[in-house]
């Protein structure tokens, strides 16, 4: 499965689920969004297995995207979930920082890890200057070469300090030199989450006099955290702060069908996908964060009962109208047509978006 196929689905509500299998990670990257360490929490395998076992032929995500922490610290779990998901037609991917290549030459991938990589349909490597301080690029390159030669579908999730970081141009050139068009790349920049919050400023935009609707396309795939909590989007603060309107359920008590239903039918989630949080807050004549701040506004909505109540009241009738359903369908279709490229432009470094399509047929 090519990266483009995953990204084509990425903005389609309930087309996939992201799952953090552990918060643990042996690396110490200065930008880690989950503030992971080897003593971070890790919950029993059963939690994840039970939830994936609730997928059925009638109700399943198209893609199960596994990550961590470092998901490959639990290779047997990755293999078991990939196998369980495939039984009803769900494809899978795993994202890794390649911790296992810190000291060896990359041609000998530990057997259980190799089994896990073979079990998924797509393997992604995280790559940035912080990872490279722990796992040298030549080792990463050799792991990728080994897997590529064995026919694995691969991608690199490349992160720079900002869009102009010279590291990005250097590393992209190196990847192209070594792998041609065989490894697509999703290029992003460090965001102010986790350990990076201490040294990356949050970008604030002054609220304009007139706030336009701006659909949130990230509120599409539910995200299951290390402890089984499930929220409506991949904003790392959502998992830490659990704002009520973004909470969908828990893997120990809910099935995929229930989470899917909540994702698709919650009035609040539909409204956030259609209009975006700033527009909703402005329409309710509330602006909790005082600026046009997208996710910050969204997070603040549940922090103030009055704000949440007024936003809910302002959408209660409009989200039930048939005309709103028609508008949602049209907006959803436009977003779907934009596909992988539009997703990479919107959510990554726009000038490198086309790298996500390298090698796509
Ligand atoms: S706007 Fe809200 S739902 Fe969308 S990504 Fe940000 S926090 Fe999540």
């Amino acid at each position: 499965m090519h990266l483009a196929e995953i990204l084509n689905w990425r903005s389609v509500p309930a087309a996939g689920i992201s799952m953090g299998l552990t918060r643990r990670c042996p690396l110490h990257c200065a930008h880690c969004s989950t503030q992971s360490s080897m003593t971070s929490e890790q919950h029993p395998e059963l939690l994840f297995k039970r939830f994936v076992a609730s997928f059925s032929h009638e109700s399943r995500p198209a893609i199960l995207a596994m990550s961590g922490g470092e998901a490959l610290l639990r290779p047997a779990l990755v293999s078991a979930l990939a196998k369980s998901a495939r039984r009803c037609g769900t494809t899978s991917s795993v994202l890794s920082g390649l911790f296992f290549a810190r000291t060896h030459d990359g041609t000998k991938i530990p057997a259980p890890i190799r089994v896990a990589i073979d079990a998924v349909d797509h393997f992604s490597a995280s790559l940035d200057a912080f990872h490279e301080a722990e796992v040298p690029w030549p080792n990463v390159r050799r792991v990728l070469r080994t897997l590529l030669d064995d026919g694995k579908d691969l991608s690199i999730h490349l992160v720079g300090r900002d869009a102009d970081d010279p590291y990005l141009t250097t590393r992209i050139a190196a990847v192209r030199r070594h792998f041609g068009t065989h490894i697509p790349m999703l290029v992003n920049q460090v965001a102010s989450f986790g350990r990076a919050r201490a040294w990356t400023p949050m970008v604030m935009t002054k609220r304009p006099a007139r706030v336009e609707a701006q659909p949130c396309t990230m509120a599409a795939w539910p995200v299951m955290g290390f402890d089984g909590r499930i929220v409506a989007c991949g904003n790392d603060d959502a998992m830490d702060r659990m704002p009520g309107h973004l909470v969908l359920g828990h893997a120990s008590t809910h099935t995929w069908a229930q989470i899917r239903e909540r994702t698709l039918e919650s009035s609040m989630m539909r409204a956030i996908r259609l209009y975006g949080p700033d527009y909703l807050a402005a329409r309710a004549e509330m602006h909790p964060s005082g600026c046009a701040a997208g996710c910050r506004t969204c997070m603040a909505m549940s922090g103030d009962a009055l704000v949440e109540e007024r936003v809910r009241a302002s959408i209660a009738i409009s989200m039930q109208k048939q005309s709103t359903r028609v508008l949602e369908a049209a907006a959803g279709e436009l977003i779907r047509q934009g596909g992988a490229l539009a997703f990479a432009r919107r959510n990554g470094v726009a000038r490198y978006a086309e790298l996500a399509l390298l090698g796509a047929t």
Side-chain angles (χ1 to χ4, degrees):
M1 175 169 63
H2 193 280
L3 174 66
E5 195 177 329
I6 300 175
L7 300 186
N8 274 334
W9 285 109
R10 191 60 192 80
S11 300
V12 179
I17 181 164
S18 299
M19 217 178 242
L21 302 188
T22 175
R23 194 171 201 153
R24 288 185 192 164
C25 179
L27 306 183
H28 311 87
C29 303
H31 67 323
C32 182
S33 64
T34 51
Q35 309 207 49
S36 292
S37 74
M38 275 309 277
T39 54
S40 299
E41 71 256 42
Q42 180 165 287
H43 290 262
E45 290 192 352
L46 191 60
L47 186 68
F48 305 91
K49 288 179 173 171
R50 178 202 168 274
F51 186 74
V52 173
S54 76
F55 298 178
S56 66
H57 286 284
E58 295 71 38
S59 179
R60 61 168 176 85
I63 298 171
L64 165 64
M66 294 176 272
S67 64
E70 172 51 68
L72 288 178
L73 286 174
R74 311 187 89 177
L77 180 58
V78 170
S79 302
L81 296 180
K83 222 179 277 176
S84 171
R86 185 169 296 122
R87 257 183 234 124
C88 44
T90 299
T91 53
S92 61
S93 67
V94 69
L95 174 67
S96 168
L98 306 193
F99 72 99
F100 50 88
R102 272 175 301 183
T103 53
H104 70 85
D105 70 6
T107 52
K108 298 177 225 75
I109 300 170
I113 290 180
R114 185 58 210 254
V115 170
I117 294 173
D118 288 344
V120 297
D121 300 276
H122 186 92
F123 179 70
S124 295
S126 284
L127 193 60
D128 47 67
F130 310 100
H131 274 95
E132 288 193 30
E134 311 229 5
V135 187
W137 161 241
N139 291 14
V140 171
R141 207 177 62 215
R142 283 188 282 264
V143 170
L144 295 177
R145 170 53 63 195
T146 303
L147 294 172
L148 193 61
D149 287 349
D150 290 347
K152 193 79 205 164
D153 276 320
L154 304 175
S155 63
I156 293 175
H157 286 207
L158 192 62
V159 175
R161 283 176 182 266
D162 55 46
D164 299 318
D165 188 346
Y167 166 81
L168 290 177
T169 19
T170 307
R171 190 49 71 236
I172 288 167
V175 173
R176 296 298 303 270
R177 196 164 56 247
H178 287 282
F179 301 109
T181 58
H182 294 293
I183 303 189
M185 288 170 266
L186 182 61
V187 184
N188 225 310
Q189 62 187 73
V190 174
S192 185
F193 290 112
R195 287 205 273 267
R197 206 190 293 279
W199 51 272
T200 311
M202 179 83 77
V203 179
M204 305 291 280
T205 315
K206 196 170 174 301
R207 184 157 67 101
R210 182 183 157 82
V211 180
E212 304 284 350
Q214 186 153 12
C216 169
T217 55
M218 291 305 286
W221 288 18
V223 175
M224 178 175 155
F226 324 104
D227 57 1
R229 291 179 298 172
I230 303 173
V231 295
C233 75
N235 181 312
D236 288 300
D237 280 344
M239 199 52 81
D240 288 342
R241 291 159 56 180
M242 299 297 281
H245 65 291
L246 298 184
V247 174
L248 296 177
H250 198 281
S252 61
T253 47
H254 291 86
T255 62
W256 164 255
Q258 290 168 321
I259 296 297
R260 179 179 181 276
E261 163 85 9
R262 289 182 179 194
T263 301
L264 296 179
E265 293 305 326
S266 147
S267 296
M268 191 64 127
M269 293 323 303
R270 287 175 50 220
I272 288 173
R273 279 196 295 269
L274 185 58
Y275 302 114
D278 286 307
Y279 182 83
L280 292 180
R283 201 164 88 163
E285 294 176 356
M286 304 296 280
H287 230 282
S289 69
C291 58
C295 292
R296 266 175 66 93
T297 302
C298 195
M299 291 291 156
M301 277 204 256
S302 280
D304 183 327
L306 177 63
V307 174
E308 187 174 354
E309 193 187 308
R310 283 186 62 168
V311 170
R312 283 192 188 281
S314 77
I315 62 172
I317 295 174
S318 68
M319 294 313 289
Q320 285 176 24
K321 290 183 179 163
Q322 190 52 31
S323 55
T324 307
R325 294 272 183 193
V326 172
L327 190 60
E328 278 178 282
E333 186 51 32
L334 272 178
I335 291 167
R336 247 189 305 274
Q337 281 173 10
L341 190 57
F343 179 87
R345 280 202 186 111
R346 254 192 329 266
N347 299 290
V349 176
R351 83 176 72 131
Y352 296 125
E354 297 199 355
L355 295 173
L357 305 186
L358 282 179
T361 49

